[in-house]
Amino acid sequence: MIGQGLQVSLLRVPLNASPWTLRGHLYTALARRFCRSPGDACPACKLFNPTYLRRDGKARDEVRPVVIRQAGEHSEILLFGRATEYGADIQRALPASGFWVGPDGQQHPAPVVSPLSDWIQPVQGAVLLRFLSPLRLEKAGSIQADFSLDALVRSLSLRLHRLRASVGDGVWDDPEVDQATRDAQTVTVSAFCLWREVARRYSSRQHRTVWLDGLVGWARLENVRPSLGRLLAAGRVLHAGKGAVFGCGWLEATQVSP
């Protein structure tokens, strides 16, 4: 079932900073406090080099178990699976005190860890998708300029599979995720208003400017079945596409009147 086998926690902090600025501060603070040598499996290494969190220990390019995003005047840090173990360390490493938010929206002083299924508000039928940060879906090495529901569903499916297999309960197969992919073939995009938004950041590691461009806006879907509705609703936590660690691909699915 979509949302099982993967734990999630969310920390909200009163910092109005870009996700990449906060990511740099967080990595530096954690590395200074815990890291004794490169790759020593400290929280900084485990969060930002996902090899150290893989259950099988194999070195391969894998999804990072953290999302850092701007939410109005606040910043939010989402942790997935085994990365939730370092919630208290992250909270202490930040320059401003924050609070943990549960799936019900209530605030807590200590980390709250809940399965992804608790964060999902199912939708079906007529659904409004809102893209709150640039959606960066890649095809043939380039970011797609047009919206594709099939590409979005594939991206969400792959991200959920990878997170669950690498830092969750270790399970890759999920029949409901596969069903959601099939259900996308019967959906109609009845209206949309999307435009390209461009952002850029400077990478001190790569010593160059990195572009974070993608689609923002909204799209209305018709005939969304329950499995697909659950996967799309999970996007408010999972994020989709490239740059998710910097908050890209944040989407919200809301059920609307036919």
Side-chain angles (χ1 to χ4, degrees), residues 8-11 65-69 76-80 119 236-239:
V8 179
S9 60
L10 188 156
L11 175 63
V66 58
V67 166
I68 302 173
R69 67 192 187 192
E76 293 182 340
I77 300 173
L78 286 152
L79 303 173
F80 300 95
W119 295 85
R236 65 184 284 258
V237 173
L238 288 176
H239 290 232

Side-chain angles (χ1 to χ4, degrees), residues 52-102:
Y52 298 105
L53 273 179
R54 284 188 55 79
R55 290 181 174 273
D56 58 14
K58 295 180 180 178
R60 76 179 189 193
D61 187 21
E62 193 55 276
V63 62
R64 288 171 173 78
V66 58
V67 166
I68 302 173
R69 67 192 187 192
Q70 278 186 290
E73 296 299 314
H74 293 79
S75 295
E76 293 182 340
I77 300 173
L78 286 152
L79 303 173
F80 300 95
R82 296 169 66 194
T84 60
E85 301 170 10
Y86 305 103
D89 294 328
I90 289 173
Q91 190 173 21
R92 286 192 292 267
L94 293 171
S97 60
F99 51 83
W100 297 88
V101 179

Side-chain angles (χ1 to χ4, degrees), residues 104-180:
D104 58 0
Q106 298 297 312
Q107 301 178 10
H108 304 269
V112 177
V113 180
S114 303
L116 174 61
S117 56
D118 288 354
W119 295 85
I120 295 175
Q121 299 175 358
V123 294
Q124 60 181 313
V127 172
L128 181 67
L129 280 183
R130 293 193 302 142
F131 304 99
L132 307 179
S133 63
L135 177 66
R136 310 181 72 242
L137 301 179
E138 192 176 42
K139 182 178 182 180
S142 300
I143 301 301
Q144 294 185 217
D146 300 315
F147 174 65
S148 167
L149 179 62
D150 288 342
L152 172 62
V153 172
R154 286 196 302 270
S155 176
L156 282 171
S157 300
L158 182 59
R159 181 164 171 78
L160 181 54
H161 280 313
R162 284 177 169 174
L163 281 169
R164 185 174 176 183
S166 294
V167 298
D169 60 2
V171 174
W172 178 276
D173 296 326
D174 188 328
E176 192 178 11
V177 175
D178 297 336
Q179 182 61 50

Side-chain angles (χ1 to χ4, degrees), residues 158-217:
L158 182 59
R159 181 164 171 78
L160 181 54
H161 280 313
R162 284 177 169 174
L163 281 169
R164 185 174 176 183
S166 294
V167 298
D169 60 2
V171 174
W172 178 276
D173 296 326
D174 188 328
E176 192 178 11
V177 175
D178 297 336
Q179 182 61 50
T181 303
R182 293 191 293 270
D183 288 347
Q185 306 303 314
T186 66
V187 171
T188 300
V189 181
S190 59
F192 63 89
C193 181
L194 296 165
W195 60 93
R196 201 171 188 87
E197 184 174 280
V198 177
R200 63 181 181 179
R201 69 179 182 89
Y202 181 76
S203 172
S204 57
R205 180 176 63 86
Q206 302 177 56
H207 303 291
R208 66 183 181 92
T209 297
V210 179
W211 295 91
L212 295 174
D213 57 311
L215 297 175
V216 295

